[in-house]
Amino acid sequence: MRVIVPLQGIVQGRGGHFLGSVIPCALFYFLQLYLKGRGRAPPPPPPPSPPTEAEKQLAEQSSPSSSSSSGLQRVHSRSLLFSPKGSSGPAHVSSRANAVVKQVDGPYYLGLKRVEEDPYDGVDNPDGVIQLGLAENRLLSDLVQEWLADHAKESIMGKEFSISTYQPFDGLMELKIAVEEFMSQVIDRPQFFKPAQIVLTAGATPAIEMLIFSLADPGNAFLVPSPYCPDLDGDVKWRTGVEIIPVPCRSTDNFSLSITALDRAFNQAKKRGLRVRGIIISNPSNPVGILYDRETLYSLMDFATEKNIHIISNELLLAGSTHGDDEFVSMAEILNTENLDRNRVHIIYGLSNDLSLTGSKIGVIYTFNENVAFAAKKLTRFSSVSVPTQHLLISMLSDKKFVRQIVEFSTERLRRMYIEFANGLKKLGIECMKSDGGFYCWADMSGLIRSYSEKGELELWDKLLNMAKINSLSGSSCYCVEPGWFGFCFASLSERDIHSVIHRIGEVSKTCRSF
Amino acid sequence: MRLIVPLQGVVQGRGGLILGSLIPCALFYFLQFYLKRHRSPPSNPPSQSPSAANLSELPRSSSRANLLARGSTGRASLSARATSIAKPNDSPYYIGLDRVREDPYDEIDNPDGIIQLGLSENRLSLDLIEDWVSQNLTDSKLGVGSQALGLSGIATYQPMDGLMEFKVAMADFMTEVMGRTVSFDPSRVVLTSGATPALEILSFCLADQGNAFLVPAPYYPGFDRDIRWRTGVELIPVHCRSCDNFTLSITALEQTFNQAKKRGHKVRGILISNPSNPVGNLLNRDTLYDLLDFARERNIHIISDEIFAGSTYGNEEFVSMSEIVDSEDADKDRVHIIYGLSKDLSIPGFRVGVIYSYNENVLAASRKLTRFSSVSSLTQQILVSMLSDKRFIQEYMKTNRQRIRTMCDLFVAGLRELGVECTKSSGGLYCWVDMSRLISPYNEKGELDLWDKLLNIGKINVTPGSACHCIEPGWFRFCFTTLNEKEIPVVMERIQKAVESCKPSV
């Protein structure tokens, strides 16, 4: 832009008199007024004046109920002596706390609330709401319960160290070793995780938050391929001050991530003045369930190296590749075979969901970056796993026979449930995205919505919730750019339940098709 | 300040022509240059080597990084706050804890190791807890068999902030521990994985980035991490003095508040610990009422950390902040209590903390935030049984208090024989020891020298007052509940050894 020479008019004798003289003067005035306004101190609060006479009288009159020998005790505060003015104002709650409370009102959270208020129970509450919106895995519950019945007590008590005393917040070394062996057993590859680089947390949720705190400052951003699970919003944004920039994926690409879209989103962010610090991926993607192939992972590494950003990979091991043809490739494997910059990749693993250990949240952070590991270890003081739970897990994960059983059954059951559910939906005329793993059927219900828009999708979601009493995951709450996609979690159902659920969805779809 | 009228000279024909015309013009120029510089983006388009195009048909087995001559463009960097968190420990409190971890004392295996007196952990009554657990841990207590597969099982929605039965059990326990003078309401209980995250979540809810809390000093060194690290809230110490027996004076509180305001800090609350850590005294009723008045007048909160409420052994009566508030109808909104099972029930490994608040907004926000610090359901189930076993709890509380008192008496007597005095404390798992006569020079450096000698020569880890932000040098916190009676003479001997090395050789 050209530099506007003040007093141009005077200097050159042409127009620009106005521009060149009035603007700087006006700015100068405003500057002075602004400075003046800020410098003014806020008026001091009115000082309280407790009348001592009245206080003494009150103290004499009141009869303390507690038996104390030290004369009359104070049983009321001075507030009663003041004029009806009372306190100087309601107690202030921080603005960020208010923001957190307000944020939980989209369809995702409304659905969760409805289930909480009116949960389905086959015996006690058959008209309740069935939860299919949360990625909860209960397919291994019976195996786990059986193991617990035989081994729980001795595994909690029978260890060298006490279950009660302070232990390192980032987890017992024995558990880290057991986790590492378990992970190697499951992926069936030679061990490439070192126990000392593992940090254990009370779930994948705090693990993600800790990494975000370690990698980004307030006002920075992360790129996340969408659709993504709405929980990530809370994990990433609530307390850290970090933004999420969704990178839309499309059904034409099978909802897989394209590096072009990533690049575009990165540049757009830069134009907006947001500094991107990293990419967060879920592998398999959540909720769609697509696996990342080697090619894409390598491209991601290149992209991250080029832009000097981090990659956080949230992986599922047992439920990684259960019903597709592709194999699960962990980010750790990529790093292990290359002379890549390992310092920019951080892997999170939600152990408890993979093992159907609902309620005992255990998350694993694995990173080659020593500084990040060090910071994360220190932050585990806020999210550490209780020692009895750790003892239980050490025994469970060290029981190789049990782990083999788990791996076998997990794959088989997840596959069976997925196929049943997908076929059931197919019979209703609803196609599911061809996925490889994960806990959701990602269904295309765009044929059933009245108007091909978010509004139409929400109407259908509402019908599913209120007519069919099913809480599903709507695509719009996952930031999906194409309306009409819904996620149904099949991993908390038994085969019998699938029939009744499909039937309910069928009823709703009938009412939709009649339009 | 007077308004400088631009072009005054032109308008009024007097001097001021330069001031009134040149200044705005100069400012305007600089503004334009500044805007110009900030608008142009940095540009570095990546370059690819031509051979990469030919390889696209071959299956990819390595990344392009190997082909680029340039290699990576930079080192993956940490955030500014992680850099400060990841710094090596510099407070003697943490350095001492690290040293004990590397070289812990064991009577048989490592008699020359460092004896831990710097961690306020209660090991005196562990046997009671572990006996109970081994006798009572049955499958039904663990909830085994109740999480059947499929929808026909029991509704398994598990609120992040704790199972209702656990909240009820915890509320009952708190009522019992705090003397049964007030009844705690389970609907106001929010459970977290330890008192540490409870305090962080509460701070997050009560203050914004850059705000401050007033804290009576000396205070527990962990507050600096719990509150400053991620919430960005400042801690402003309100110094207490030995002449007052380190009790909080409202005058000092007022002075500090006013100073903070002058410096531009927005004070959002006062954080007290009652029984206090590291001194171990109890706040009396009058002080608590005064505090409530103070908070009301300035419209701030009170956070009362009452984690040692059950570990009192003196003759004084413990008064909880909830008792003060119970008799009031107004202003309950500004009182919040932190509690946990790590100290009173000797189970820090279980990771159980409580936020107890009378403020609905704070409760709503805290419940949402417990997703980051939740208590495992296994732990909850074990504890529901334990806390419901009223006979055991009463037995335990009585025995525990006796044992703490006995140990305290022995320890204080041992110190007295060495010529070292402590403040008279009535609660907590430690004593606050005056070693000011043994340090030279009489300042923080002298105190740290003595701490170093105690650690390296005496091989005992204690917490120096400076780590607790104590304004008077020479005070140390000695935790005695990690010892058994046999070890007390050993400790005294070692203190003696360290102290002798301080005296100048004659």
Side-chain angles (χ1 to χ4, degrees):
Chain A
M1 62 190 234
R2 303 178 296 125
V3 174
I4 301 173
V5 179
L7 308 177
Q8 179 183 319
I10 299 178
V11 170
Q12 292 185 358
R14 285 192 288 119
H17 223 133
F18 185 74
L19 258 184
S21 313
V22 173
I23 291 181
C25 300
L27 286 177
F28 198 49
Y29 264 120
F30 289 130
L31 178 70
Q32 291 181 63
L33 285 171
Y34 171 73
L35 287 174
K36 204 168 182 181
R38 247 186 65 183
R40 207 181 314 132
S49 48
T52 47
E53 291 304 325
E55 188 179 0
K56 277 200 210 126
Q57 278 179 12
L58 194 67
E60 282 163 25
Q61 284 167 17
S62 65
S63 48
S65 49
S66 57
S67 55
S68 165
S69 55
S70 57
L72 290 171
Q73 276 192 324
R74 184 135 161 219
V75 293
H76 290 295
S77 74
R78 284 201 301 261
S79 68
L80 294 179
L81 305 171
F82 288 142
S83 59
K85 184 166 57 93
S87 76
S88 55
H92 168 276
V93 174
S94 72
S95 53
R96 44 193 182 178
N98 283 330
V100 163
V101 175
K102 283 206 196 77
Q103 267 171 29
V104 290
D105 59 3
Y108 179 66
Y109 292 104
L110 280 174
L112 293 184
K113 201 155 151 243
R114 282 291 302 277
V115 176
E116 185 187 338
E117 291 162 4
D118 184 23
Y120 174 87
D121 185 287
V123 174
D124 298 327
N125 189 13
D127 286 326
V129 183
I130 302 180
Q131 175 67 285
L132 297 183
L134 270 187
E136 258 192 334
N137 178 12
R138 268 183 254 136
L139 293 182
L140 298 174
S141 289
D142 54 342
L143 288 179
V144 168
Q145 296 298 321
E146 208 184 289
W147 186 93
L148 285 176
D150 293 336
H151 301 97
K153 183 169 170 183
E154 87 186 48
S155 64
I156 294 176
M157 291 306 301
K159 296 270 180 300
E160 265 179 36
F161 22 73
S162 147
I163 60 172
S164 326
T165 55
Y166 277 110
Q167 302 294 342
F169 287 129
D170 60 313
L172 297 166
M173 188 46 93
E174 282 74 10
L175 182 53
K176 293 187 189 183
I177 294 175
V179 166
E180 193 250 293
E181 283 171 4
F182 168 76
M183 285 164 93
S184 307
Q185 196 179 349
V186 167
I187 310 182
D188 196 20
R189 299 251 148 74
Q191 295 173 346
F192 37 64
F193 304 115
K194 288 200 188 49
Q197 287 162 311
I198 291 181
V199 178
L200 296 171
T201 64
T205 293
I208 296 176
E209 197 197 33
M210 273 182 225
L211 280 180
I212 302 294
F213 266 112
S214 306
L215 303 176
D217 289 302
N220 295 157
F222 273 81
L223 298 174
V224 184
S226 72
Y228 64 82
C229 179
D231 272 338
L232 203 58
D233 277 336
D235 299 348
V236 173
K237 293 192 211 169
W238 278 0
R239 299 197 293 187
T240 63
V242 172
E243 267 307 307
I244 288 185
I245 298 171
V247 180
C249 306
R250 301 182 182 280
S251 53
T252 43
D253 293 328
N254 280 351
F255 288 105
S256 60
L257 178 62
S258 95
I259 301 290
T260 332
L262 202 59
D263 203 26
R264 199 180 316 133
F266 184 89
N267 292 331
Q268 275 172 358
K270 212 156 102 170
K271 277 207 197 93
R272 275 165 56 193
L274 282 173
R275 183 171 168 196
V276 173
R277 294 304 278 253
I279 309 167
I280 307 175
I281 62 168
S282 290
N283 190 12
S285 62
N286 188 8
V288 184
I290 308 288
L291 282 176
Y292 283 76
D293 59 12
R294 272 202 182 77
E295 169 82 34
T296 317
L297 291 176
Y298 279 122
S299 308
L300 260 175
M301 272 305 294
D302 287 333
F303 182 83
T305 312
E306 204 176 285
K307 309 282 184 208
N308 192 17
I309 57 180
H310 294 267
I311 300 179
I312 299 178
S313 177
N314 189 357
E315 302 185 341
L316 274 181
L317 298 189
L318 286 181
S321 65
T322 52
H323 41 263
D325 305 315
D326 296 331
E327 57 160 347
F328 169 73
V329 180
S330 164
M331 207 63 207
E333 197 190 313
I334 303 288
L335 291 178
N336 225 43
T337 55
E338 275 291 318
N339 286 333
L340 295 171
D341 185 3
R342 291 172 167 185
N343 282 330
R344 52 181 86 249
V345 175
H346 319 282
I347 300 172
I348 293 182
Y349 173 46
L351 182 61
S352 38
N353 212 17
D354 240 1
L355 290 178
S356 297
L357 277 172
T358 50
S360 293
K361 312 234 171 291
I362 298 116
V364 182
I365 299 178
Y366 177 62
T367 173
F368 281 106
N369 187 324
E370 277 175 15
N371 292 332
V372 171
F374 197 48
K377 279 179 187 160
K378 287 203 170 168
L379 289 176
T380 49
R381 65 190 278 123
F382 300 113
S383 312
S384 50
V385 188
S386 76
V387 178
T389 309
Q390 293 194 53
H391 283 197
L392 194 75
L393 273 172
I394 292 173
S395 297
M396 194 187 276
L397 297 178
S398 310
D399 186 343
K400 299 263 190 291
K401 196 173 107 197
F402 177 67
V403 171
R404 259 198 309 273
Q405 202 184 20
I406 289 258
V407 173
E408 199 184 297
F409 277 105
S410 174
T411 315
E412 190 248 311
R413 283 181 187 182
L414 280 167
R415 186 194 316 258
R416 201 160 23 105
M417 292 305 165
Y418 173 79
I419 292 176
E420 281 271 343
F421 203 91
N423 283 343
L425 285 178
K426 197 164 182 176
K427 289 203 185 100
L428 297 176
I430 300 171
E431 285 292 332
C432 287
M433 189 84 250
K434 185 168 175 342
S435 68
D436 307 299
F439 303 118
Y440 286 103
C441 266
W442 189 240
D444 183 4
M445 298 176 91
S446 50
L448 296 175
I449 59 182
R450 222 183 331 176
S451 65
Y452 187 68
S453 65
E454 189 178 319
K455 186 166 171 302
E457 184 189 282
L458 282 177
E459 272 173 20
L460 178 54
W461 177 83
D462 198 75
K463 269 205 200 121
L464 283 169
L465 184 63
N466 292 309
M467 268 177 61
K469 299 293 194 108
I470 292 179
N471 180 37
S472 58
L473 189 63
S474 67
S476 53
S477 56
C478 300
Y479 303 91
C480 184
V481 287
E482 302 175 17
W485 289 89
F486 283 79
F488 297 97
C489 173
F490 55 83
S492 50
L493 304 173
S494 68
E495 279 182 55
R496 203 173 11 131
D497 301 320
I498 290 188
H499 292 304
S500 74
V501 166
I502 298 287
H503 177 75
R504 290 188 188 199
I505 299 177
E507 294 295 301
V508 170
S509 78
K510 274 191 209 134
T511 64
C512 293
R513 286 199 205 279
S514 60
F515 288 131
Chain B
M1 60 194 238
R2 298 177 301 121
L3 274 182
I4 301 176
V5 179
L7 307 177
Q8 177 181 321
V10 174
V11 170
Q12 293 186 353
R14 283 192 290 120
L17 186 61
I18 293 181
L19 256 185
S21 316
L22 277 186
I23 290 181
C25 300
L27 286 176
F28 198 50
Y29 264 120
F30 289 133
L31 179 69
Q32 290 182 60
F33 280 130
Y34 174 77
L35 286 174
K36 203 170 182 176
R37 198 179 316 137
H38 266 247
R39 202 165 293 176
S40 56
S43 52
N44 12 345
S47 56
Q48 289 186 29
S49 58
S51 56
N54 297 337
L55 290 174
S56 60
E57 282 145 21
L58 299 170
R60 181 93 171 257
S61 60
S62 60
S63 78
R64 280 202 304 265
N66 294 337
L67 305 171
L68 287 174
R70 226 161 14 113
S72 91
T73 48
R75 299 186 51 79
S77 59
L78 256 68
S79 65
R81 31 192 184 188
T83 315
S84 77
I85 292 173
K87 273 198 303 230
N89 289 328
D90 53 359
S91 156
Y93 176 69
Y94 293 104
I95 296 177
L97 292 181
D98 285 342
R99 287 287 305 274
V100 175
R101 207 169 292 137
E102 293 159 15
D103 183 20
Y105 171 83
D106 185 287
E107 203 184 333
I108 304 163
D109 297 327
N110 188 15
D112 287 325
I114 304 180
I115 300 185
Q116 174 71 289
L117 300 176
L119 182 62
S120 69
E121 179 180 27
N122 185 356
R123 295 197 182 199
L124 303 176
S125 311
L126 271 187
D127 55 327
L128 298 176
I129 298 288
E130 295 192 351
D131 280 344
W132 186 95
V133 173
S134 76
Q135 283 163 18
N136 289 278
L137 204 64
T138 60
D139 295 333
S140 64
K141 301 259 171 63
L142 286 176
V144 173
S146 66
Q147 287 187 42
L149 168 65
L151 300 175
S152 53
I154 299 167
T156 52
Y157 180 82
Q158 291 186 339
M160 285 281 190
D161 60 318
L163 299 168
M164 198 42 171
E165 356 163 57
F166 189 33
K167 290 189 197 178
V168 170
M170 182 60 91
D172 283 344
F173 180 67
M174 286 170 77
T175 307
E176 181 70 39
V177 159
M178 309 225 185
R180 274 185 248 119
T181 47
V182 69
S183 169
F184 285 86
D185 179 356
S187 66
R188 294 210 180 98
V189 170
V190 174
L191 293 156
T192 61
S193 57
T196 295
L199 193 51
E200 193 196 32
I201 291 175
L202 195 53
S203 308
F204 185 88
C205 292
L206 300 180
D208 285 301
Q209 184 102 11
N211 294 158
F213 288 151
L214 297 178
V215 196
Y219 62 82
Y220 160 58
F223 283 164
D224 286 327
R225 292 189 167 185
D226 298 348
I227 298 179
R228 284 205 175 110
W229 265 3
R230 300 198 294 187
T231 62
V233 175
E234 262 307 304
L235 287 178
I236 301 175
V238 178
H239 294 288
C240 306
R241 299 179 186 281
S242 53
C243 48
D244 293 330
N245 210 34
F246 290 101
T247 48
L248 176 62
S249 102
I250 299 291
T251 332
L253 196 61
E254 261 187 59
Q255 270 174 355
T256 317
F257 183 90
N258 294 332
Q259 269 172 7
K261 207 161 103 170
K262 275 207 201 92
R263 289 208 199 101
H265 282 123
K266 187 113 187 67
V267 174
R268 288 285 187 210
I270 310 168
L271 169 60
I272 58 170
S273 59
N274 181 22
S276 79
N277 184 358
V279 181
N281 44 26
L282 304 178
L283 274 78
N284 63 26
R285 215 175 278 274
D286 277 342
T287 316
L288 292 174
Y289 274 119
D290 286 337
L291 264 172
L292 186 58
D293 288 331
F294 183 86
R296 176 189 311 113
E297 283 153 19
R298 286 156 185 75
N299 193 14
I300 57 180
H301 293 271
I302 299 180
I303 305 176
S304 180
D305 181 357
E306 302 184 347
I307 200 173
F308 290 102
S311 306
T312 52
Y313 44 82
N315 293 324
E316 268 179 74
E317 173 209 11
F318 170 73
V319 181
S320 163
M321 200 67 211
S322 58
E323 199 186 318
I324 304 295
V325 156
D326 211 42
S327 53
E328 311 276 319
D329 280 324
D331 292 322
K332 279 182 164 180
D333 272 8
R334 55 181 85 252
V335 170
H336 318 274
I337 295 173
I338 298 276
Y339 189 64
L341 297 180
S342 304
K343 317 287 182 185
D344 289 345
L345 210 53
S346 312
I347 47 172
F350 277 59
R351 312 307 307 142
V352 178
V354 176
I355 299 174
Y356 190 85
S357 173
Y358 294 90
N359 186 322
E360 282 307 320
N361 293 332
V362 170
L363 286 175
S366 307
R367 285 186 193 119
K368 302 273 175 284
L369 295 175
T370 53
R371 60 191 281 153
F372 299 113
S373 313
S374 52
V375 189
S376 79
S377 54
L378 172 69
T379 309
Q380 294 190 56
Q381 254 135 20
I382 300 179
L383 287 173
V384 165
S385 309
M386 192 190 288
L387 297 177
S388 312
D389 189 346
K390 300 267 190 255
R391 199 194 47 85
F392 167 71
I393 293 293
Q394 272 168 5
E395 213 20 75
Y396 169 86
M397 297 300 301
K398 202 172 83 173
T399 315
N400 186 38
R401 280 197 167 103
Q402 274 169 5
R403 290 183 184 180
I404 301 179
R405 181 173 203 154
T406 313
M407 192 59 84
C408 180
D409 288 341
L410 279 174
F411 199 83
V412 170
L415 287 175
R416 196 166 286 143
E417 265 169 47
L418 295 179
V420 175
E421 289 291 330
C422 327
T423 58
K424 179 145 184 12
S425 56
S426 345
L429 308 174
Y430 34 75
C431 43
W432 187 234
V433 181
D434 183 6
M435 299 181 103
S436 47
R437 289 179 303 109
L438 300 168
I439 64 174
S440 82
Y442 182 69
N443 60 18
E444 189 178 320
K445 184 174 176 308
E447 181 187 283
L448 287 175
D449 277 345
L450 177 56
W451 170 76
D452 193 78
K453 291 211 172 68
L454 285 166
L455 185 61
N456 291 310
I457 299 177
K459 297 287 198 127
I460 58 175
N461 176 39
V462 295
T463 311
S466 50
C468 305
H469 304 267
C470 183
I471 204 168
E472 299 179 18
W475 290 86
F476 288 80
R477 183 187 78 165
F478 284 66
C479 299
F480 48 78
T481 49
T482 43
L483 301 172
N484 56 44
E485 289 183 26
K486 278 188 297 164
E487 288 166 352
I488 294 189
V490 177
V491 168
M492 294 304 151
E493 212 181 283
R494 291 187 180 199
I495 298 177
Q496 179 81 330
K497 200 163 93 174
V499 163
E500 311 264 79
S501 70
C502 286
K503 299 207 175 86
S505 43
V506 185

